[in-house]
Amino acid sequence: MTRTPALGVMLPRDLDQAQVLTFARRADDAGFDEVWVVEDLGFRGGIAQAAAVLATTTRIRVGIGILPAAVRNVAFAAMEVATLAQLFPGRVDVGIGHGMPDWVRSVGAWPARPLTLLEEYVTTLRALLRGETVTSPDGSPLGLRDVALDPSSVPDVVPDLLAGVRGPRSLAAAGRVADGTVLAEPVTPEYARAALAQVAPTRPHRVVAYEVAAVDDDGAAALDTARPALAWIGEPDWDVHIAPLPFADDFRALRASCATREEFAARLPAGWVAQLALAGTPDDVHARTAALAEAGVTSVVLLPAGPDPLAALASLGRLC
């Protein structure tokens, strides 16, 4: 029997500062299982956001998606994560990834061996959170020498460490070293299955799926609300999300014929939007969520579409 996935919501990265904690509290009150914060270059920091959201809520799990491994020393990351895990035991999940290459390069931090760094980072962070003393192997990009958390700072509950990745080698690394994988939007059942085949986990492994989302009793109106948020998915980095779909060739041809992302989004057929977003009536979205669970997704994280994030959150709360 397929389990119902946890239902989460994304805290918009550009939400007005006066609404951030209100959004978090309303997500908690609405009954969402998780709220995820993002750490994108130039926006708010992931750890600071997580701390504020955890402190202002009472029940909801808080995921950080994602911390770029190359920009934060792993020992200091362990100190920050351990603090959250001690103060809010069992409520913290930590996503770690390469980060967007252009962003990481722009701050001078892109590593020579990103895959090696990611694997060693996840493994080392977990060891430090367990109270172990770590010395990195010779040639490691981490360079730790006899580093450990003070016993007073070791959390009783070690948070899950999930890899936010999409390339085949990185997905395989997630299967080797991470407790789960965070998949960027859009996640269709076809893409989830393809990604999990590359992850090939040998132990329990969570799969967190980000999804553009809109709910309305008028299903067509929900699709129209979600459509602009799909403008980016025609770009080359997103092709792995599209490749498993039966309309992949037509999708690529449509993008090639459009001068702008906005034109592309406007011309997306409604049927494609319905497959690339969780948008429609509550029944429509519940059915799509069930299909994702059958494909192996364990958490569905909704990205509120539309101009008013708080109003969108209220609509999405009907799914809880």
Side-chain angles (χ1 to χ4, degrees):
M1 179 177 176
T2 302
R3 295 178 121 189
T4 301
L7 188 65
V9 65
M10 178 68 72
L11 180 68
R13 66 182 186 177
D14 58 351
L15 188 63
D16 184 272
Q17 61 185 16
Q19 296 182 337
V20 170
L21 298 184
T22 299
F23 186 99
R25 286 191 291 266
R26 290 187 184 179
D28 197 21
D29 293 342
F32 286 98
D33 302 302
E34 303 170 0
V35 61
W36 283 73
V37 302
V38 293
E39 182 170 87
D40 287 345
L41 181 62
F43 293 87
R44 299 182 179 107
I47 292 171
Q49 287 185 91
V53 170
L54 286 161
T56 201
T57 56
T58 60
R59 171 198 56 82
I60 201 165
R61 291 179 71 98
V62 177
I64 305 173
I66 60 166
L67 301 180
V71 303
R72 188 177 280 103
N73 181 281
V74 69
F76 286 88
M79 292 162 58
E80 300 282 6
V81 172
T83 301
L84 295 178
Q86 281 194 323
L87 296 177
F88 307 99
R91 293 182 58 203
V92 183
D93 296 311
V94 181
I96 303 163
H98 303 301
M100 296 298 287
D102 287 348
W103 295 348
V104 180
R105 288 190 178 100
S106 74
V107 298
W110 188 252
R113 295 177 294 158
L115 190 60
T116 297
L117 174 65
L118 181 65
E119 288 202 56
E120 291 194 21
Y121 197 101
V122 172
T123 302
T124 300
L125 180 57
R126 183 183 293 109
L128 292 169
L129 293 171
R130 288 174 174 170
E132 299 173 21
T133 299
V134 178
T135 293
S136 303
D138 291 342
S140 167
L142 299 180
L144 271 59
R145 293 292 179 266
D146 296 325
V147 175
L149 293 176
D150 186 86
S152 67
S153 297
V154 175
D156 293 330
V157 179
V158 175
D160 281 351
L161 304 181
L162 300 93
V165 293
R166 65 175 136 208
R169 295 175 61 214
S170 297
L171 288 167
R176 291 191 293 270
V177 303
D179 301 305
T181 301
V182 179
L183 299 177
E185 72 284 359
V187 180
T188 61
E190 295 90 341
Y191 174 58
R193 290 190 182 95
L196 260 175
Q198 293 172 325
V199 171
T202 58
R203 58 190 177 90
H205 192 89
R206 296 170 58 189
V207 178
V208 177
Y210 290 173
E211 303 283 9
V212 171
V215 171
D216 195 296
D217 289 329
D218 181 342
L223 295 177
D224 287 342
T225 299
R227 182 187 303 276
L230 298 174
W232 286 91
I233 69 171
E235 303 312 298
D237 283 347
W238 276 263
D239 190 66
V240 292
H241 298 249
I242 306 305
L245 300 178
F247 54 85
D249 289 341
D250 292 336
F251 179 97
R252 296 179 187 117
L254 175 62
R255 181 63 186 94
S257 72
C258 295
T260 65
R261 298 186 185 103
E262 291 73 21
E263 179 191 354
F264 166 71
R267 291 175 57 188
L268 283 171
W272 294 4
V273 176
Q275 294 187 59
L276 296 167
L278 293 186
T281 68
D283 286 345
D284 293 336
V285 176
H286 279 306
R288 291 292 293 171
T289 301
L292 289 166
E294 290 176 3
V297 171
T298 58
S299 293
V300 174
V301 179
L302 308 176
L303 284 63
D308 184 343
L310 290 178
L313 177 64
S315 296
L316 297 176
R318 299 172 62 189
L319 300 171
C320 296

